[in-house]
Amino acid sequence: MEATTRWALVTAVAPIAWGSTYYVTHRFLPADQPLWGSALRALPAGLLLLAVRRERPRGDWWWRAAVLGTLNMGAFFALVYVSAQLLPTSLAATIMAVSPAAMMAVAWLALAERPRALAVTGAAVGIGGVVLMLATGVGAVSPLGVVASAAAMLMSATGHVLTKKWASDADVLSVTSWQLIAGGLVLTVAAVVIEGGPPPLTASSAAAFGYVTVIATAVAFSAWFTGLRHLDAGTVGLIGLLNPVTGVVLGMAVAGEPLTARQGFGLALVLVGVLLGQPAARRLSRARQPRPDLHV
């Protein structure tokens, strides 16, 4: 297995785990305290990774961790909460699906990673597939909800690219832990101010929080930032489209939700888009291009 394929598979752990949180959250976690839910997800995950690596930030990483934690977890989760309250889920998820294109643009500006033609094509195909999977008729659309969802998407895209830029020589697990702790602290303050005390835990909700904390946060973000270390940002962003795919597949397989022909076609388009953006696909495309005739 090629190294790039291996890192792509490692990266895919993140959006697949994130996609599974839809089902776990709706089925087992309290719906009326999302900020506490996010705080109880981020902060314990960060402390768990810190216990594994036992390395504290040094120098610039104190403020970098605060910035990245706010962009990738703190403000991001809060804005997602606002958009979820004001927009239909399908519309909010569709806006978030533009993230691969945003990551390509930010990486071009910040890292000089010029988007490849196949990656741009893959992003267009994948985003179109997400629209087909999730598009439903909506009534009046809240402008504030659209702004919140777009801001969340841009914040995470920027935060992920900055993580790639700043953490090139730092330990991935340490950087992930610092961000989760910083973001978790921001979320805890917001939760206390807005929602009051933490939600009571039952056996099922405690188990669900354990899964979301360990698998969908500690492991997932570690895998995501590992992918950013070894792959270009556009490729990683495209792999992120597996998030809504996982949500749809789990809804069908576990919750018994029907899969329409349109959704099936959209799902196939997403997978094609993700594959088009992978480095192996780009190398194959170049290999098939006719070579110049060197004979004279």
Side-chain angles (χ1 to χ4, degrees):
M1 182 184 297
E2 293 186 7
T4 52
T5 301
R6 183 172 66 251
W7 294 125
L9 291 174
V10 169
T11 307
V13 170
I16 291 172
W18 292 334
S20 69
T21 60
Y22 299 133
Y23 175 78
V24 174
T25 299
H26 286 299
R27 184 71 183 270
F28 300 107
L29 297 181
D32 57 341
Q33 292 181 285
L35 291 176
W36 267 117
S38 299
L40 292 174
R41 169 185 176 180
L43 189 55
L47 293 173
L48 174 64
L49 290 177
L50 184 64
V52 171
R53 299 305 297 179
R54 297 185 180 181
E55 183 177 354
R56 293 182 298 175
R58 293 186 179 87
D60 289 343
W61 270 107
W62 284 104
W63 66 265
R64 286 180 177 180
V67 170
L68 295 177
T70 299
L71 289 174
N72 292 332
M73 291 90 180
F76 172 74
F77 283 138
L79 288 168
V80 167
Y81 163 57
V82 172
S83 66
Q85 296 295 317
L86 298 177
L87 294 178
T89 301
S90 59
L91 179 56
T94 299
I95 293 173
M96 289 299 300
V98 183
S99 181
M103 286 185 67
M104 289 181 194
V106 176
W108 192 358
L109 294 173
L111 305 174
E113 289 185 357
R114 186 168 185 171
R116 306 284 184 178
L118 271 179
V120 173
T121 302
V125 172
I127 293 169
V130 171
V131 172
L132 281 178
M133 279 197 307
L134 302 178
T136 57
V138 296
V141 175
S142 166
L144 180 59
V146 172
V147 170
S149 186
M153 181 269 296
L154 291 172
M155 276 192 172
S156 63
T158 302
H160 294 160
V161 171
L162 286 178
T163 300
K164 179 178 177 65
K165 180 176 182 178
W166 289 341
S168 59
D169 298 324
D171 178 73
V172 171
L173 292 185
S174 297
V175 170
T176 305
S177 72
W178 303 336
Q179 292 186 59
L180 286 169
I181 291 171
L185 291 174
V186 170
L187 287 164
T188 300
V189 172
V192 170
V193 173
I194 297 173
E195 297 176 352
L201 294 180
T202 64
S204 60
S205 64
F209 269 123
Y211 170 80
V212 170
T213 295
V214 176
I215 304 300
T217 304
V219 173
F221 274 104
S222 297
W224 185 255
F225 293 138
T226 298
L228 281 169
R229 173 72 59 88
H230 297 280
L231 302 170
D232 62 78
T235 297
V236 173
L238 275 172
I239 295 173
L241 291 178
L242 294 176
N243 184 333
V245 168
T246 303
V248 170
V249 171
L250 279 179
M252 176 186 64
V254 180
E257 298 173 359
L259 182 70
T260 66
R262 186 194 69 202
Q263 287 177 313
F265 182 57
L267 190 152
L269 283 180
V270 173
L271 296 179
V272 169
V274 171
L275 291 175
L276 280 176
Q278 300 312 300
R282 298 200 290 268
R283 286 195 298 272
L284 180 61
S285 175
R286 288 196 295 270
R288 288 178 174 175
Q289 293 178 354
R291 296 181 179 179
D293 190 356
L294 300 179
H295 298 287
V296 294

